[in-house]
Amino acid sequence: MSEPRRADRVAERLRAELSELLLRGRVRDPGAKDVVVSAVRVTDDLSLARVYVRVLQEADARRKQRVVAALTRASGFLRRELAAKLKLRRAVDLEFFWDEQVD
């Protein structure tokens, strides 16, 4: 079996680290409360990560927008924290999206 691509390995580490940052309440914006990172997709050049999120309870359209907006506002902080933990040459830009997939 072939080894996973580097982008896939980085994406999984990003998902784990972002989940931990959000779980520990490091993002103080109330809009980012109870957020779960369901998936991360990273471009092959490791410059951009598309982060897909959900919340623990049912969310209406306004709640979805508030969650994505809160995480977008916190992206600079999250990017800085991830750069320190992952020790990549270049910090990955983060884009947040609501995950519409049903579990």
Side-chain angles (χ1 to χ4, degrees):
M1 195 162 148
S2 67
E3 187 173 323
R5 295 178 332 155
R6 181 162 189 239
D8 294 338
R9 292 190 312 265
V10 170
E12 182 53 33
R13 292 224 25 232
L14 281 170
R15 190 196 62 72
E17 294 294 340
L18 276 170
S19 294
E20 179 148 341
L21 286 169
L22 294 170
L23 178 68
R24 295 190 183 275
R26 296 291 308 270
V27 177
R28 293 194 175 124
D29 193 319
K33 187 177 179 186
D34 300 329
V35 174
V36 176
V37 178
S38 56
V40 176
R41 306 275 187 264
V42 178
T43 57
D44 287 337
D45 63 357
L46 306 179
S47 64
L48 177 66
R50 291 179 181 91
V51 181
Y52 296 90
V53 296
R54 298 189 64 74
V55 290
L56 297 175
Q57 65 275 11
E58 191 65 32
D60 60 1
R62 288 189 67 198
R63 170 83 165 125
K64 294 174 185 179
Q65 290 173 345
R66 284 196 311 261
V67 167
V68 171
L71 292 172
T72 300
R73 284 191 300 271
S75 65
F77 166 76
L78 292 169
R79 186 174 180 225
R80 191 170 45 251
E81 291 289 314
L82 291 169
K85 288 181 183 256
L86 298 179
K87 296 183 173 117
L88 297 172
R89 277 187 212 149
R90 184 178 179 276
V92 178
D93 290 329
L94 302 172
E95 286 184 350
F96 293 94
F97 299 93
W98 185 259
D99 187 4
E100 295 292 341
Q101 297 293 327
V102 176
D103 294 347

